[in-house]
Amino acid sequence: MTAAVIEPADGAGARERILDLAQRYGVYAALAVLIAVATALDSDFMSVSNWRVQLFQAAPIVLVALGMALVIGTEGVDLSVGATIALAASIIPLYIGYGPVPAIALALLLGAAAGLVGGAMVAFAGVQPIVATLSLMIGLRGVAELMNGAAAKPVADATILDLGERNLAGVPLMAWIALAATGVVAYTVRRTTFGRQLVAIGDNKRASLLAGLPVRRVLVTVYVLSGVLAALAGVLIVGHGAEADPANQGLNMELSAITAVVVGGTPLSGGRVRVLGTVAGALFMQLASAVLIQHNAPTSTTQIVEAVLICLAVYVSRERGTR
């Protein structure tokens, strides 16, 4: 007896294609519309100086969002990235006396350690990612404020300031660093065994365990990578602002990163990582925020826009996943 094959109705098929296109390319279309509207409202929007400012602001978000995309790809989430930024930033003025390289290395090492703790809680203790990283978020912010006395401290080292302010071929060095990180993450996801294991674990963790994949090792590694990228963003933020402010730097950055990842087409249910979409999502969030600020919109408006975008992206992802 031959099993009957049930073909989807034409309407359902068209809806599925629309949802698929929205998830794959919606962020690029939204970015193009936003740039067109912003250009119509402000003739200086496309100026070199304005784009340089936007790239300065977007680079740290891109770095944090790349790490967040890896974590979400495994069906996790990392709420500690904002506090990791503050922790990495706080260590710079304390150890800059030993030279910029040791201070930066220590900041990155602290980021890796924070990710290691979060990843171990998720992979070995079985703690839910949102709980594990929420506790880290609170604890790391407290440690950062404790180290600097909860006060902003100036940083005047030339190498650190160069990282945050210098231009290379007319483009901020921060943007080049974010671009290089994007290339490394994209290659890792698409071309390496680790990347394939990451996606497989996010798609079905139990099946991955039964297949003999190193699930715990991969989970710990993605949280470590997320911590290192957040710490790198913290170093760049210190260089750009010439100070370490543990109470305010990295504040709400985890929400911006999650928004960029989800808007960029990576589903919260894991099993897929859209690296370029994440970068486009981060750029969209930065430009949207800049346009609202330039037109004197209150900060709450930016938060409402972020909430609406997350709801739309999650709706598209959920509807597509149920088909």
Side-chain angles (χ1 to χ4, degrees):
M1 182 178 177
T2 303
V5 178
I6 301 175
E7 296 290 346
D10 289 344
R15 185 170 182 271
E16 175 68 16
R17 285 193 292 274
I18 292 172
L19 290 171
D20 182 56
L21 289 172
Q23 191 172 38
R24 284 175 177 272
Y25 306 112
V27 65
Y28 304 111
L31 187 59
V33 170
L34 175 62
I35 291 174
V37 171
T39 305
L41 294 175
D42 181 4
S43 57
D44 291 332
F45 183 79
M46 292 301 289
S47 66
V48 173
S49 60
N50 180 59
W51 273 98
R52 194 172 288 150
V53 170
Q54 301 309 325
L55 290 176
F56 269 123
Q57 299 294 331
I61 302 175
V62 169
L63 289 171
V64 178
L66 287 171
M68 186 69 76
L70 295 177
V71 174
I72 289 178
T74 64
E75 204 180 3
V77 69
D78 188 353
L79 298 181
S80 69
V81 288
T84 302
I85 287 174
L87 183 67
S90 296
I91 208 70
I92 297 294
L94 293 180
Y95 287 88
I96 197 64
Y98 296 95
V101 174
I104 293 172
L106 189 55
L108 299 183
L109 193 61
L110 277 179
L116 180 64
V117 173
M121 291 170 72
V122 172
F124 292 98
V127 181
Q128 288 293 322
I130 192 170
V131 177
T133 56
L134 178 61
S135 62
L136 265 181
M137 178 180 75
I138 298 169
L140 293 178
R141 180 73 67 178
V143 172
E145 294 188 8
L146 193 63
M147 287 195 305
N148 271 352
K153 289 192 173 180
V155 175
D157 180 80
T159 302
I160 300 292
L161 298 183
D162 270 356
L163 287 174
E165 292 290 351
R166 189 177 178 184
N167 291 305
L168 189 61
V171 177
L173 181 58
M174 294 169 66
W176 286 114
I177 293 173
L179 180 64
T182 301
V184 171
V185 172
Y187 179 84
T188 301
V189 171
R190 289 178 173 274
R191 301 293 183 186
T192 68
T193 301
F194 171 78
R196 288 190 286 274
Q197 290 172 342
L198 181 161
V199 171
I201 291 168
D203 188 46
N204 192 323
K205 190 178 296 181
R206 180 171 176 78
S208 299
L209 276 169
L210 294 174
L213 297 185
V215 174
R216 291 187 178 90
R217 188 175 69 197
V218 171
L219 287 177
V220 170
T221 303
V222 295
Y223 282 90
V224 169
L225 291 173
S226 177
V228 171
L229 287 167
L232 179 57
V235 173
L236 298 183
I237 289 172
V238 170
H240 191 57
E243 68 173 13
D245 184 355
N248 295 301
Q249 285 172 339
L251 209 58
N252 295 327
M253 186 69 90
E254 60 279 348
L255 300 181
S256 297
I258 292 171
T259 306
V261 172
V262 175
V263 170
T266 298
L268 287 172
S269 55
R272 191 178 303 127
V273 179
R274 297 196 187 283
V275 177
L276 294 181
T278 296
V279 175
L283 192 57
F284 178 86
M285 296 307 303
Q286 168 57 33
L287 295 181
S289 176
V291 169
L292 291 172
I293 291 173
Q294 284 173 356
H295 291 83
N296 300 318
T299 305
S300 55
T301 305
T302 305
Q303 295 170 332
I304 293 171
V305 169
E306 284 194 31
V308 171
L309 288 172
I310 289 177
C311 289
L312 282 174
V314 170
Y315 171 78
V316 170
S317 177
R318 185 183 67 85
E319 287 297 299
R320 186 167 177 259
T322 57
R323 293 285 162 181

